[in-house]
Amino acid sequence: MNIQRVACVGAGLIGQGWATVFSSRGLEVIIQDISQELLNESMERIRLNLNFLEAHNLLPKGQADRSIGKITTTTHIHDAVSHVDYVQESVPDNYDMKKRVFKEMDDAAPAHAILASSTSGLLMTEIQKVTVQPERCVLAHPMLPVHLMPAVEIVGGEQTAQETVEWTREFMTSLGKTPIVLNREVPGYIVNRLQAALLREAIDLVHKGVASPEEVDTAFCRGIGLRDPLIGPFLRIHLAGNGIEDFIKNFSQSYCYRWETMETWTSIPPSAIEPMVKGVRDMEMVRKKSLGEIGAWRDEMLVKILNLIGQD
Ligand SMILES: NC(=O)c1ccc[n+]([C@@H]2O[C@H](COP(=O)([O-])OP(=O)(O)OC[C@H]3O[C@@H](n4cnc5c(N)ncnc54)[C@H](O)[C@@H]3O)[C@@H](O)[C@H]2O)c1
């Protein structure tokens, strides 16, 4: 694998994160968006991200300046992708937009270039239908903040070549990411399906008056989240049940009672919205800090956790 140049198509929150990652690894990066004003804002964010990494010893001294020097901007997709080895698309999440952009990228990128999408729920099988080279199109779904969170979910569509998936896995590994390759596509992949299941239950607990959003978040952070960086749901039940087989034998019945009383709605009930919004606005953190301050606090704490657990 010899990657020299990459393009970030769409330079919003996620595109900025990818540009931070690529440039910090010494790659030449060209970022593209619909206006120079947005690109200038994006460059500012990328600079802040790189400075943050350097200040927290996640980049060698002087690397932030060198990395920012690796990035150029353009408002034209053709110019962005015509001389690169890899394209990471991060435009808004709807099929019309993704298909329009993928068609343009496929027309203009060199034949060897891989075209990856950051989409957080759409299927590559549908997006790649508009391309002439669907075998090089793949999904590489990052987590926010992209420059700190290691996981990237990778999956191809029906027409994606296996080599494309493998190549993307290796590329992500070379960037210091932790790739998770799915066997097949499913809306929301793994992470967002797990989050969706948890979120429905969290909303329902508030809706039914069991607890406030603040209490639900505290229960999550201190009751589940504290273990989360170390063990996932399966290792948890293996430990909790003194072995997975005993867990199934001893806990299936009590889980059955819980699942029987859980909601299965697929859109948020209108009556659940008011208590949820009010509850979130009432949270101590939300009353005391701006969104930017909460994000900055999260990033500081994330670095501490990453340093503690390592990035293996
Ligand atoms: N925000 C998240 O938490 C998150 C996490 C993982 C993946 N994603 C996915 O990443 C993608 C981008 O999300 P985001 O949060 O960065 O959105 P965003 O709105 O912050 O950024 C999207 C950017 O795309 C630009 N854009 C619009 N049309 C364009 C075009 N034709 N060509 C080039 N750029 C164009 C917009 O101007 C904007 O700057 C989505 O597919 C989203 O599902 C988001």
Side-chain angles (χ1 to χ4, degrees), residues 77-220:
I77 288 191
H78 184 282
D79 295 345
V81 307
S82 56
H83 294 96
V84 300
D85 308 302
Y86 179 87
V87 184
Q88 184 76 43
E89 166 277 314
S90 309
V91 302
D93 218 35
N94 67 73
Y95 278 120
D96 283 350
M97 173 77 80
K98 298 282 188 200
K99 284 180 168 178
R100 203 164 59 239
V101 166
F102 258 75
K103 179 154 184 18
E104 284 185 68
M105 297 185 332
D106 188 50
D107 286 346
H112 75 276
I114 300 292
L115 309 182
S117 176
S118 299
T119 174
S120 39
L122 306 179
L123 302 186
M124 182 43 76
T125 295
E126 187 57 32
I127 297 170
Q128 69 191 166
K129 281 180 184 163
V130 297
T131 63
V132 175
Q133 282 185 262
E135 67 282 358
R136 58 157 157 183
C137 301
V138 68
L139 208 139
H141 173 234
M143 312 296 131
L144 197 67
V146 182
H147 59 295
L148 292 178
M149 292 290 279
V152 179
E153 294 177 299
I154 299 171
V155 64
E158 279 168 14
Q159 298 185 75
T160 306
Q162 190 52 36
E163 300 90 79
T164 301
V165 173
E166 266 314 307
W167 186 97
T168 309
R169 181 215 294 261
E170 280 177 33
F171 179 45
M172 288 298 145
T173 305
S174 76
L175 295 170
K177 292 284 181 197
T178 305
I180 297 129
V181 178
L182 280 67
N183 295 329
R184 66 178 181 85
E185 279 180 315
V186 52
Y189 329 123
I190 300 173
V191 171
N192 281 342
R193 286 180 85 85
L194 291 175
Q195 293 203 129
L198 191 69
L199 182 62
R200 180 166 56 198
E201 190 51 30
I203 292 171
D204 192 53
L205 286 166
V206 173
H207 190 202
K208 293 209 168 93
V210 176
S212 67
E214 181 127 49
E215 287 159 341
V216 171
D217 272 17
T218 303
F220 178 85

Side-chain angles (χ1 to χ4, degrees), residues 233-235 237-250:
F234 288 112
L235 194 50
I237 61 172
H238 186 49
L239 278 174
N242 199 23
I244 178 75
E245 296 83 0
D246 277 2
F247 177 87
I248 292 165
K249 202 160 59 197
N250 297 329

